[in-house]
Amino acid sequence: MGRLHWLFGQISDFDQVCREHAVLCAAIESGDPVLAAKEAQKHVLSYRKQTL
């Protein structure tokens, strides 16, 4: 929980995070594992750059 709390403290644009999560959820719901993996990786790498 401590890491998540810290991570959320690093986010400056919550609307963007929500949009990315919506895209990721849609990809998961589509049943396409390749698309879901692509969207998950894109999201993680995007925020990894911001927090490092």
Side-chain angles (χ1 to χ4, degrees), residues 27-44:
I28 292 167
E29 288 174 343
S30 78
D32 182 344
V34 174
L35 178 61
K38 176 185 158 197
E39 293 301 334
Q41 183 177 29
K42 187 167 65 170
H43 174 67
V44 168

Side-chain angles (χ1 to χ4, degrees), residues 2 4-6 18 22-28 31 36 46-47 51:
L4 281 176
H5 187 268
W6 175 84
C18 289
V23 169
L24 179 55
C25 286
I28 292 167
S46 170
Y47 285 93
T51 58

